[in-house]
Every structure is written in C-alpha cells, then in structure tokens.
Amino acid sequence: MSDQDTSSRAGVQPVATPASRRRFLKDAAGVAGGAGLLALGAGLYARQASALPATAIRPPGALAEADFLAACVRCGLCVRDCPYDTLKLAELGDGVATGTPYFEARKIPCEMCDDIPCAAACPTGALDRGLTDIGKAKMGLAVLIDQENCLNFLGLRCDVCYRVCPVIDKAITLERIHNPRSDRHAMLLPTVHSEYCTGCGKCEKSCVLPGESAIKVLPIKLAQGSRAEHYLRGWEEKKAAGESLIGEQVELPVRGLEGKAFGDTRIAPGEGPRGAAPTVPDSKPSSKPGGIDSGWKP
Amino acid sequence: MSAQGTVGASGGKLPPTSVRGAARRGVVARPGREAVEAKGWLQAHKWLLLRRLSQFGILALFLAGPWFGIWIVKGNLSSSLTLDTLPLTDPFLIAQQFAAGHWPYREALVGGGIVLAFYLLVGGRLFCSWVCPVNLVTDAAAWLRRRLGLKGGKVPAGSTRSWLLGFVLLAAAATGSLAWEWVNPVSMFHRALIFGFGLAWGIVGGIFLYDLLVAPRGWCGHLCPQGAFYGLLGRVTLLRVSAAHRSACNDCMDCFAVCPEPQVIRPALKGVGQDHPLILDGDCTTCGRCVDVCGKDVFRITTRFNRSES
C-alpha cells in the first residue's frame, strides 16, 4: 500500500524483527515477480513481433534484422531525410516492430538516391554508413512470383518491370525462350539476378497488373534459397581450372539425330528415332456418329 | 472518521504528514486554494504554467516540421537533430543498446552524453515533469481523480519501477534487441504524436484509465522504468527543491495532495531522518507544484548545496 510505502521510504527504519524481515522479503519477491512478468511479457511480444512481414522492406544499409532491432532507436531521422516519402515508421498494429522504419514497394518504392540520405541520417548505425554505393544495397530481392498472370509469361511484350529497373539488363534481363503455346513465337521472360538486384521495388511498383503485382520484392531471407555448397558446379570448376577436370569427353551420337549439332534435340518432320513423320491430324472430324463412347477426338 | 472538511484543521489529532491524513481533511479535491488567496492565481500557478509551456513548447518544436514545414527539430525524444547540428539522444535508449550488445555511432553517443549531462545538472526526473508527454496524460488523470473524489485503489509498490528497469535491461540482453521499445508508452506516445498513432491510442488510454481508476499516480510514480532510470540521475543532481521556510508550514497538506511523489516531501518538510530542508530523493521530479500550492511559501527551487533555512 502507498502509505506503508511512504513511511518506510521516509527513512524510518523498522526494527528488523524476523516477522518484518519476512514481510519485506515477501513484498520484494512479489514486486520483483510482477516486474519480471511484465518484462518477460514485453520480451515475448518483442520476439513474436520481430517476424517481419514479407511486404515490409528495410531501408538501404539496414543491418541484418536481429542486429537492426538492437540498434534502431526508432527516432525517424531516416524517414525525415527520405526525399520521396518512401520510408515510414511502423505504428502499433502494423505488424512491424513498433517505430522501426520500413517501406512497401507497391506503395512507394526506393528511388535509390546516390547519396543515400536515409543511411547518412541514422545516428545509431542501424543503417550502415559503410554502404556508399546504392547499387550495392541489398534491401530485398525481386521475385517474379506469379508466372500465371505475368503478361510476359503469357507471351505478351509488357516488359515494364524490366524497363523501369534502375539496374536494367543486370538486375533484370529478358530471357528469350520458345513459346510452346503458339509454337511460333518467343516469350521474353523477365529474370532477376540476385547479384545486381538492390531490392528497390520499382519493378513491383510499376507492374501493370491491377491490384497485386506479379513481381514482388521480398526480404532476401524469404526470396533466396541457400546455396548447395556440396554440389560442385562443373562449369564453374572448369572455368576456374581453365580446362575440364575430367578430360575431354567423347560426344556420342544420338540415334536418329546424326548430323545435327550436339545437343540439338529438335525434331523436324521426317526425323526422329523411328524415322516417322509426326502425322498432321486430320482437320475434319471423324465421320463416325457422335455420342457417348463413339471414340471421337478433336 | 468522516472528512472534517476544513482546510486549517491542523490541530494534530491525525498525523499531518500522511496522504491519508490529507484525504480525511478533504483538502485533496482542490489543493492550492489557500495559495491562490494568499498569492494570487498567477503566482499560485507559476511553475505549473512554466511546465506546461515547456511540455507543449517541446512538442511544438517537434511538430513544426511535419505540420508546417519548419524544420527546427527532426526526429523524436528517442533521438533528434536540432537545426541540423545538435544531436540529442535519450540515454535510456543507449543503456538498452549497450545491454543488447550494440555500440552506436558517435552522434548517438555524443547526443546521449549531452542529455545525460543536462539531467545530471538540472534534475534527473526533470525529464518526467517538464518534457515527457505522458506526464500530461497522468497529470490529467490525477486532476480528474481529485475532482471526482476517487479514493483508494490498488497501487503497486514504489520499487516496482526499479525492478522493471532492471528487467528491461535484462530483456534487452536476453533478446539482443530493444525489447522494451516495442511497448514503451513514453517513446511510443511521443513518436505517435509526430509520426502517427496506429493503435498507440490504446496504450495511452490504458495509462490514463489505470491512473484514474486503478492506481493513483500508478504509471509515473510506480511503474515507468524510464522514470526510474532518470531517478537514478536525480540522486546526484544539482537543482533541488528545498522546504527552506518550513517553520511557516501550517500543515495544510496541499503539497502532499498535488505532489506526484508525496513520499519525498516528509523528510525535508518535517525533518524525518535528516536535518536539512532539501528534498534529495531521486524520485522528486522538480515539477515545482509544491512551490505553487503552498500559501506560506515554504518551498523554493535551489541547489543541493544550499542547506540554509529562512
């Protein structure tokens, strides 16, 4: 109670009888326990909330998430010095650690300022000033996540994500492959290269799809698998050694494809292991009567 | 033991220096009436007005940028940059960073040093009463509580905040992050005022209701670990309140009624456990409200070396 508290604080030392000592210990234990529980609750909440949502991207130069959460004092100076209003401080209920800076690429992406004003403003080192070349920033990694709705994957020439990429032709390239649907067109597939992608999110922002973007910037931890260190990539080993490690290999012909370039397995009419030309299906439907189990096929 | 209702009932049947005694006399609802009669309204609210000016002035400096584009101060109380040159950082946050194992940049360390030196000089918990925005909330709750005549309640022990301070630093060390800053209502409220609230209203409202309905002066006086941190500085601070004219005290209890940490008054005013009239307890927030409400001008703000009595 407050009054007892008042009197004991006022310097009147009670005579230390066993009973009073016991009561003091009991009170102290209660207070310590209560405070400990409160702090434990805060700590648990902190741990649970430290899982960053996939759409929340940290500013350039941000330390790894665990270190970032030890360093960021949530002052918002990075937010104030961002000229494009990209950054914001998380509010309670945003799902991001309260008060820490982040941006959502689909809303406002990072414009990759040359002088990186947000990192320069950080007083604590949560944003590392060692990052001087914004091209080396690793805010996240773009992933073309929806290949079913991406217009380029449908065979169209949208290319917008590729065109807006500040690191065009390095971070995003267009890879030409055969379009098996039309069988006579190419598809130019936007392809992200993690070595150059800074995670600025301009691709995600400008994706023309209504609503959700087909290409998304994700935290690197989510976007990238870990490299299989035990698997030696033969071509890399060969390049490093200057020659094949197992000597030149005999190129065995593929039966029926003799005379074609090695590895070219495309089959023209009249070619092939059986030598049989693929028959062009008759355009006319069969003259057999229709109905169930008639054997008719288009 | 009903309320006797007279301000000057200081005959001495009840111990004059307990809060409960004041409550029984019925002076709790409107303390300072005597002072207004003796000194005039303005003089009886001098420190309160200055304090509100400081609190709102500091808020205005922070809000001038985002609201009107006048960038005098950027950031918030956790860390700020004034006129693009002066860095200021909350040493409580730097202490948490150290506990979490992070060594900040020089700006933060210099800024933290400046703030630390300032509060060591003028009063550790001066932060609580002159700067912290939560004080506006808890002062409002305390005022309403007095006006509504709400009595009693369940108050945690005063040492809870010290324990909590310890556990806050422990939690930072254990999780390797500034765990308390996820929930710290002090930094959250100030940040919310400047950068946007989200659900932080709930936390601020919770503190108001807790102080109003559950525990009088519960948050600032018993729980807040940030206040406990500044209280540590307050133990050695230069600027202090002194009951220099204590011989004139008429035991009206108004100072006890308004004081957010009433336990600090008695040793100085009544000479309990000490001879000099200085309030040296680190819990004193140097709010100056006791100076205001005293009709007999018992209190004054002075240095800790001034032990004189008049």
Side-chain angles (χ1 to χ4, degrees):
Chain A
M1 293 302 288
S2 59
D3 300 28
Q4 292 158 357
D5 181 25
T6 305
S7 59
S8 67
R9 271 166 170 270
V12 187
Q13 290 302 320
V15 185
T17 61
S20 73
R21 195 179 302 126
R22 209 174 304 133
R23 215 185 78 195
F24 166 78
L25 287 174
K26 209 179 108 199
D27 285 356
V31 167
L37 274 179
L38 213 67
L40 183 71
L44 284 178
Y45 170 65
R47 171 160 291 191
Q48 177 258 330
S50 66
L52 201 60
T55 47
I57 306 295
R58 294 288 186 206
L63 303 177
E65 189 63 13
D67 298 331
F68 183 83
L69 292 177
C72 176
V73 294
R74 297 116 155 105
C75 67
L77 287 175
C78 53
V79 174
R80 291 295 178 231
D81 279 12
C82 174
Y84 298 98
D85 289 337
T86 301
L87 296 176
K88 53 189 172 182
L89 290 189
E91 293 166 6
L92 191 66
D94 277 353
V96 182
T98 325
T100 56
Y102 74 107
F103 69 95
E104 286 169 284
R106 188 65 164 162
K107 289 183 180 153
I108 311 178
C110 171
E111 295 288 341
M112 288 175 64
C113 310
D114 280 335
D115 51 349
I116 324 181
C118 49
C122 180
T124 64
L127 306 181
D128 187 0
R129 276 179 214 164
L131 180 75
T132 48
D133 176 7
I134 188 68
K136 294 205 163 61
K138 292 274 173 250
M139 295 172 263
L141 181 60
V143 181
L144 205 154
I145 206 162
D146 187 355
Q147 303 189 351
E148 291 175 337
N149 286 309
C150 170
L151 297 183
N152 274 43
F153 269 81
L154 297 178
L156 296 161
R157 288 297 304 276
C158 164
D159 299 359
V160 169
C161 56
Y162 162 77
R163 296 280 167 208
V164 299
C165 178
V167 203
I168 185 170
D169 282 325
K170 283 181 174 164
I172 303 186
T173 56
L174 291 179
E175 299 298 321
R176 194 180 70 176
I177 68 160
H178 177 67
N179 182 346
R181 184 175 52 80
S182 74
D183 207 22
R184 68 197 64 193
H185 297 97
M187 295 195 298
L188 289 118
L189 304 183
T191 307
V192 181
H193 303 275
S194 63
E195 191 185 348
Y196 296 104
C197 177
T198 63
C200 73
K202 295 209 73 166
C203 51
E204 178 175 344
K205 167 68 182 171
S206 53
C207 176
V208 301
L209 295 185
E212 290 292 323
S213 171
I215 189 165
K216 286 191 164 83
V217 173
L218 299 177
I220 288 177
K221 199 181 153 198
L222 279 184
Q224 208 165 24
S226 32
R227 187 186 164 106
E229 293 294 345
H230 57 283
Y231 174 68
L232 296 181
R233 303 173 188 201
W235 57 97
E236 285 176 4
E237 301 295 323
K238 187 174 171 181
K239 202 173 167 190
E243 56 176 351
S244 170
L245 298 180
I246 53 172
E248 286 309 311
Q249 299 299 295
V250 180
E251 290 182 2
L252 294 171
V254 179
R255 193 147 45 102
L257 294 177
E258 297 88 347
K260 299 198 71 166
F262 180 68
D264 184 358
T265 54
R266 288 173 297 177
I267 301 167
E271 269 184 344
R274 287 184 206 133
T279 49
V280 180
D282 197 352
S283 58
K284 282 190 293 182
S286 164
S287 57
K288 283 183 183 172
I292 292 171
D293 290 335
S294 65
W296 181 86
K297 281 183 183 140
Chain B
M1 288 284 184
S2 64
Q4 295 172 19
T6 48
V7 173
S10 54
K13 280 154 207 118
L14 283 162
T17 52
S18 75
V19 182
R20 191 163 45 190
R24 283 183 192 160
R25 283 183 185 80
V27 300
V28 178
R30 309 206 66 156
R33 215 161 23 177
E34 203 182 326
V36 173
E37 281 162 20
K39 303 193 282 192
W41 190 89
L42 204 63
Q43 196 62 23
H45 290 84
K46 185 177 96 177
W47 290 105
L48 181 67
L49 291 174
L50 283 174
R51 206 154 62 79
R52 295 288 179 249
L53 194 69
S54 160
Q55 289 168 327
F56 284 111
I58 288 167
L59 259 182
L61 283 176
F62 277 103
L63 287 170
W67 285 8
F68 308 112
I70 306 163
W71 293 101
I72 303 163
V73 186
K74 280 194 287 193
N76 57 37
L77 283 178
S78 301
S79 191
S80 65
L81 192 61
T82 304
L83 297 172
D84 278 329
T85 43
L86 174 70
L88 294 174
T89 304
D90 189 343
F92 179 54
L93 272 161
I94 294 190
Q96 288 181 73
Q97 282 190 322
F98 285 162
H102 178 79
W103 188 264
Y105 281 157
R106 207 181 51 213
E107 278 94 327
L109 291 174
V110 168
I114 294 171
V115 175
L116 198 69
F118 176 78
Y119 286 116
L120 276 175
L121 196 66
V122 300
R125 292 199 65 200
L126 197 80
F127 168 82
C128 300
S129 56
W130 289 72
V131 179
C132 180
V134 175
N135 177 268
L136 291 167
V137 177
T138 56
D139 267 3
W143 177 84
L144 195 59
R145 197 179 168 87
R146 281 198 299 269
R147 276 308 183 81
L148 296 178
L150 299 176
K151 306 238 165 65
K154 186 136 181 68
V155 193
S159 54
T160 310
R161 55 184 157 193
S162 305
W163 284 101
L164 199 51
L165 173 62
F167 284 117
V168 161
L169 297 177
L170 258 180
T175 61
S177 70
L178 309 184
W180 181 248
E181 292 306 307
W182 258 281
V183 290
N184 184 357
V186 175
S187 57
M188 189 184 291
F189 185 35
H190 192 254
R191 190 171 57 235
L193 285 168
I194 298 167
F195 289 93
F197 261 93
L199 301 178
W201 279 117
I203 298 228
V204 177
I207 286 181
F208 180 80
L209 292 178
Y210 177 67
D211 267 29
L212 178 69
L213 302 174
V214 183
R217 292 285 174 185
W219 174 256
C220 296
H222 299 82
L223 290 180
C224 179
Q226 194 156 347
F229 176 84
Y230 282 102
L232 292 178
L233 308 184
R235 293 185 180 189
V236 292
T237 195
L238 184 67
L239 215 60
R240 294 281 64 176
V241 174
S242 168
H245 203 51
R246 60 187 176 188
S247 54
C249 174
N250 64 355
D251 291 337
C252 73
M253 299 303 296
D254 281 2
C255 54
F256 283 90
V258 292
C259 182
E261 303 278 352
Q263 76 278 6
V264 307
I265 296 179
R266 202 156 85 117
L269 187 63
K270 295 293 155 190
V272 181
Q274 67 179 46
D275 297 329
H276 58 82
L278 282 168
I279 296 177
L280 292 181
D281 196 314
D283 289 344
C284 171
T285 68
T286 330
C287 67
R289 200 68 188 109
C290 54
V291 186
D292 279 350
V293 298
C294 183
K296 301 290 177 192
D297 275 333
V298 166
F299 297 96
R300 66 169 181 221
I301 293 179
T302 178
T303 70
R304 71 185 299 117
F305 304 113
N306 184 1
R307 301 197 163 192
S308 66
E309 265 186 74
S310 52

